[in-house]
Amino acid sequence: MINAKPTLKSTLKALLYLAPLLIVTITFTIWPLISSFLMSFYTKYNYFTNQVKAMGGANFAYLWQNPDFHLAVRNTLVFVIGVVPLTVILSLGIALLLNQINWLSSFFRTIYFLPFVTSTVAISLVWNWIFHQDNGLLNALLGGSVDWLNDPHYSLTALIIVCVWRGLGFNIVLFLAGLNNIDNHYYQAAKLDGASAWQQFTNVTLPMLAPITVLITVNEIISSFKVFDQIYALFHGQAGPANADLTMMYYLYQKFYVEGQYPVAAASGVVLFIFIVIITGLAFWYFQRHSIKIWGRRS
Amino acid sequence: MQVTLKGIQLAYDRHNKIFDQLSFHVQDGELLALLGPSGSGKSTILNLIAGLLTPNAGQILFDETDVTKLDARNRNIGMVFQDYALYPQLNVMDNIAFPLKMAHVKKATRREQAQKLAKLVHIESLLTKFPNELSGGQQQRVAIARALAKKPKILLLDEPLSNLDAGLRVELRDEIRHIQQVTGVTTIFVTHDQNDALRIADKIIVLANGVIQQVSTGADLYRHPRNLFVAQFIGSPKINTIPVANLIPYISKEIPASILTQAVTAAFRSESITNDPVANALMTNLPVTMTHQVQIGRDSQTQLQFENNRLISTAISDNYTQKIQTINVAPRGFFLFNDDDVCIWEGDAHD
């Protein structure tokens, strides 16, 4: 029935259907979320007996003064600012090119998608070769002699290159889907209205790709903030030379697994969470404000 | 501007030719309708004129200029698409002004022009709205205004009325005619609906399977169809067709023997069938059974069974209850077609 009103019985029945997923989600996502949030306020705590003797903001105060954490925040922000725009622009560009070729198009699409399905460890191994100071491909191409992975001035750039390269495939596929959704009539109309190829790109392609661009940008911001495994694999379990690739997630990992400072790790997790919320919030706020330009409707 | 297509050939591949030796001419300031069933190639012709498709052979001339190889951008053509193709991220004002913006016209001039055009198509109150806030008819008007924005020499309309409901259709049909007369722009519009074509077009080209069947005025197409396809396509209800052999015993008028031996199909309009005596009747006393009679507005349609053929008449008096009838067929609206479906004889052309 379309016009059925919810009753107590129907609500209970719905809950029953939802129960399997709800139980799993609450146990493995919601509950750890809450407990780690609480843990960030434990100042005297025995992890193994789970005894809390005192609570307070000391963990946050510690982070506020800890130079390593400052470095982690700085590195993370540099990383996000380096990766996100590059990934979005490059994947859009490649998607546009791929959209133009008809010949062997699925072959090229597969090639670009491959990094996404390859394991991080394998990728890091290959990039270790590429970045090698004496025999590496990159130095051979650039004609320099940069020690990409061991020089603190370059190691964050090296990380950004690997992460951009790895993220391309998936975002290209998303952009290609977006491009396929643009009705050819818009291009024909624009052409007859006198739009040049560039004007067609700025007046048809870009505005019509706006929704997918928002999705890719926000998704890329969130996943860049959480970067960890690429660092771990690329620098063999280190945070780069002289902690040059220490990100917030890596800091959290070190505090938790290496140093055993569980409440500090939890507190840094909360700070990371707040960063992500603020930045994605800002992104959404921006897109909402400009929604008329982007989607052609008021929201 | 005059438009001439000369010997156009278009094929997607070697075996599927869409057009072969297609030629026609449109006068300056004319409103031409391309009429045909779906798949007849009407919209393809528009795309050829617009420059969105390039013919494999043949020439397209605007006045005396050969534009066959000219890019769509530089042909100065306004086109209205069937789905309107309004830019969703631009409001009505910016949509109309878009071609001017592409031509780097100053913003103040652009706005002034857009307002003028909006007034012409009666949407001046909608200038700040976005396409998704408009009804189909309003979107159509915006699309027409946008197509006219750069003062095109030729206006192309691709099925402009097919997405609209009946009332709006009639309104916009007259509107298109009005706009065309005000601006004097050479207009070609594609439709599958004979009513649209017959109402507003100066000249109609009937197309079927990529071949031009006849080029003429609406009245002429109805009165003098060149072949069976045109006779059947134009006119509502559809013309009655019967093998000539079935009719021979009832023919009361002299038809030359040379014609009769060639004739294969006879066709006669519904209004030529009546149960009243007809002066100069072409056929008299055909025995028929009346199967059904309906009143459609002003007209009544009567279905008759003649041997194995079903006939429709619109000239039998209403509420005729007597079941078995004989009918007479008037010469006007009667045609004979030969083996190749070409019209070889018209009933009233020989008095």
Side-chain angles (χ1 to χ4, degrees):
Chain A
M1 270 184 293
I2 294 170
N3 60 348
K5 292 231 162 40
T7 60
L8 186 66
K9 198 183 158 202
S10 73
T11 310
L12 282 174
K13 206 159 115 185
L15 268 176
L16 203 65
Y17 281 124
L18 289 170
L21 189 66
L22 267 182
I23 290 167
V24 172
T25 312
I26 289 171
T27 318
F28 293 102
T29 308
I30 311 282
W31 172 242
L33 213 71
I34 295 168
S35 56
S36 70
F37 182 75
L38 289 175
M39 194 190 279
S40 68
F41 290 98
Y42 300 165
T43 46
K44 283 189 176 166
Y45 175 58
N46 188 331
Y47 180 71
F48 299 99
T49 56
N50 200 17
Q51 275 180 314
V52 185
K53 286 173 189 145
M55 285 178 75
N59 297 320
F60 294 97
Y62 172 83
L63 289 178
W64 185 254
Q65 282 157 357
N66 183 252
D68 271 357
F69 189 69
H70 297 171
L71 182 66
V73 171
R74 215 194 65 192
N75 285 342
T76 309
L77 290 178
V78 170
F79 178 79
V80 170
I81 292 165
V83 165
V84 176
L86 254 183
T87 310
V88 172
I89 292 167
L90 273 182
S91 45
L92 173 61
I94 295 170
L96 285 169
L97 293 177
L98 282 177
N99 208 35
Q100 295 292 320
I101 53 169
N102 303 317
W103 188 71
L104 285 181
S105 66
S106 49
F107 170 73
F108 285 111
R109 282 169 201 207
T110 313
I111 291 222
Y112 277 99
F113 196 67
L114 271 179
F116 185 73
V117 290
T118 313
S119 94
T120 312
V121 177
I123 287 172
S124 301
L125 197 68
V126 173
W127 278 97
N128 260 298
W129 288 337
I130 295 175
F131 283 133
H132 194 276
Q133 188 178 8
D134 302 322
N135 310 314
L137 203 60
L138 194 60
N139 277 342
L141 279 174
L142 298 175
S145 162
V146 176
D147 196 354
W148 291 96
L149 297 179
N150 297 312
D151 186 335
H153 295 102
Y154 292 101
S155 60
L156 193 56
T157 314
L159 180 69
I160 289 173
I161 292 172
V162 174
C163 289
V164 167
W165 178 80
R166 185 181 154 87
L168 281 182
F170 188 66
N171 293 325
I172 288 171
V173 170
L174 287 179
F175 269 127
L176 278 173
L179 284 170
N180 274 325
N181 273 336
I182 302 177
D183 194 325
N184 206 21
H185 272 171
Y186 290 116
Y187 289 108
Q188 298 183 344
K191 211 184 273 177
L192 290 172
D193 288 341
S196 62
W198 175 251
Q199 284 172 322
Q200 286 172 42
F201 174 69
T202 53
N203 290 287
V204 178
T205 312
L206 276 188
M208 303 238 169
L209 280 182
I212 199 86
T213 314
V214 172
L215 175 78
I216 289 173
T217 309
V218 170
N219 183 40
E220 200 57 34
I221 288 174
I222 294 173
S223 62
S224 297
F225 261 107
K226 296 191 303 183
V227 64
F228 171 77
D229 50 347
Q230 284 91 338
I231 307 167
Y232 194 90
L234 196 62
F235 299 102
H236 311 293
Q238 306 288 314
N243 273 349
D245 297 80
L246 182 72
T247 60
M248 288 166 83
M249 201 65 195
Y250 208 97
Y251 181 88
L252 191 156
Y253 164 81
Q254 277 189 337
K255 286 289 168 213
F256 195 94
Y257 287 100
V258 182
E259 298 173 18
Q261 299 192 44
Y262 308 110
V264 174
S268 71
V270 170
V271 175
L272 175 61
F273 173 73
I274 290 167
F275 263 100
I276 293 177
V277 166
I278 289 173
I279 304 248
T280 48
L282 275 175
F284 270 118
W285 173 78
Y286 176 84
F287 292 131
Q288 285 277 318
R289 257 188 73 128
H290 295 266
S291 66
I292 289 183
K293 260 193 208 148
I294 295 169
W295 284 282
R297 66 180 83 104
R298 300 169 174 93
S299 57
Chain B
M1 196 182 310
Q2 299 179 43
V3 181
T4 312
L5 270 69
K6 266 191 203 164
I8 294 292
Q9 193 195 82
L10 182 71
Y12 284 130
D13 57 58
R14 208 170 274 241
H15 304 288
N16 296 313
K17 275 191 190 143
I18 300 162
F19 301 122
D20 200 8
Q21 295 301 317
L22 180 90
S23 303
F24 66 86
H25 177 78
V26 191
Q27 295 289 346
D28 185 30
E30 202 170 35
L31 178 54
L32 174 91
L34 286 170
L35 177 65
S38 37
S40 57
K42 301 163 295 188
S43 299
T44 315
I45 292 179
L46 281 200
N47 287 336
L48 282 167
I49 297 172
L52 298 171
L53 280 173
T54 314
N56 299 74
Q59 279 184 307
I60 299 167
L61 305 176
F62 289 176
D63 285 338
E64 303 302 316
T65 324
D66 187 340
V67 296
T68 318
K69 296 272 181 282
L70 194 66
D71 191 65
R73 275 183 69 205
N74 305 319
R75 291 199 187 186
N76 197 15
I77 276 178
M79 184 158 171
V80 175
F81 291 86
Q82 188 174 353
D83 56 2
Y84 318 130
L86 298 177
Y87 309 114
Q89 77 278 14
L90 301 180
N91 66 18
V92 169
M93 164 77 86
D94 292 338
N95 258 294
I96 298 175
F98 186 79
L100 301 172
K101 190 181 172 194
M102 293 304 104
H104 305 293
V105 174
K106 283 214 180 76
K107 193 165 186 180
T109 325
R110 247 155 51 195
R111 298 189 139 253
E112 197 183 312
Q113 288 280 342
Q115 260 152 358
K116 259 189 214 160
L117 285 161
K119 205 166 271 173
L120 177 70
V121 296
H122 308 302
I123 46 165
E124 55 269 52
S125 60
L126 304 172
L127 284 169
T128 56
K129 300 243 179 194
F130 285 88
N132 68 338
E133 298 171 314
L134 303 179
S135 70
Q138 291 168 334
Q139 290 189 35
Q140 176 70 273
R141 287 165 191 269
V142 178
I144 293 173
R146 183 180 66 181
L148 291 171
K150 53 176 182 177
K151 300 201 169 63
K153 290 285 163 39
I154 300 160
L155 179 64
L156 306 175
L157 306 162
D158 191 359
E159 296 272 9
L161 305 167
S162 62
N163 289 349
L164 305 175
D165 61 58
L168 214 52
R169 216 185 154 96
V170 173
E171 190 187 317
L172 260 162
R173 190 160 67 195
D174 297 339
E175 190 80 34
I176 288 172
R177 181 60 176 164
H178 171 72
I179 292 166
Q180 195 265 338
Q181 277 169 343
V182 169
T183 55
V185 60
T186 308
T187 304
I188 302 176
F189 94 100
V190 155
T191 180
H192 63 269
D193 186 330
Q194 49 167 317
N195 287 321
D196 296 343
L198 294 170
R199 287 293 165 98
I200 63 171
D202 296 316
K203 193 164 86 181
I204 299 171
I205 292 181
V206 182
L207 267 174
N209 301 320
V211 178
I212 293 179
Q213 305 295 317
Q214 190 167 357
V215 185
S216 199
T217 61
D220 199 44
L221 290 174
Y222 188 75
R223 290 279 287 116
H224 309 292
R226 228 187 62 191
N227 59 30
L228 189 58
F229 177 84
V230 176
Q232 288 183 309
F233 195 69
I234 305 285
S236 170
K238 204 170 155 183
I239 198 164
N240 298 296
T241 51
I242 289 184
V244 170
N246 296 12
L247 294 173
I248 284 180
Y250 307 101
I251 293 176
S252 55
K253 191 177 158 173
E254 213 43 36
I255 298 178
S258 59
I259 295 286
L260 268 184
T261 49
Q262 282 181 58
V264 178
T265 314
F268 38 101
R269 302 270 178 211
S270 60
E271 65 268 23
S272 65
I273 301 176
T274 171
N275 56 331
D276 296 326
V278 182
N280 257 329
L282 216 146
M283 294 184 289
T284 42
N285 296 323
L286 274 78
V288 293
T289 319
M290 191 175 118
T291 53
H292 191 55
Q293 190 174 45
V294 282
Q295 189 76 30
I296 302 167
R298 186 167 37 79
D299 301 324
S300 73
Q301 274 191 18
T302 313
Q303 281 191 19
L304 303 161
Q305 190 74 26
F306 165 70
E307 293 172 8
N308 284 328
N309 306 286
R310 182 170 291 178
L311 305 176
I312 291 179
S313 166
T314 48
I316 287 180
S317 23
D318 304 342
N319 304 319
Y320 212 92
T321 44
Q322 202 182 330
K323 281 290 178 195
I324 297 176
Q325 301 282 330
T326 57
I327 53 161
N328 305 318
V329 176
R332 189 181 159 121
F334 181 93
F335 311 98
L336 289 175
F337 299 91
N338 70 8
D339 204 18
D340 296 323
D341 289 341
V342 175
C343 184
I344 50 170
W345 200 75
E346 294 179 10
D348 61 344
H350 309 278
D351 289 333

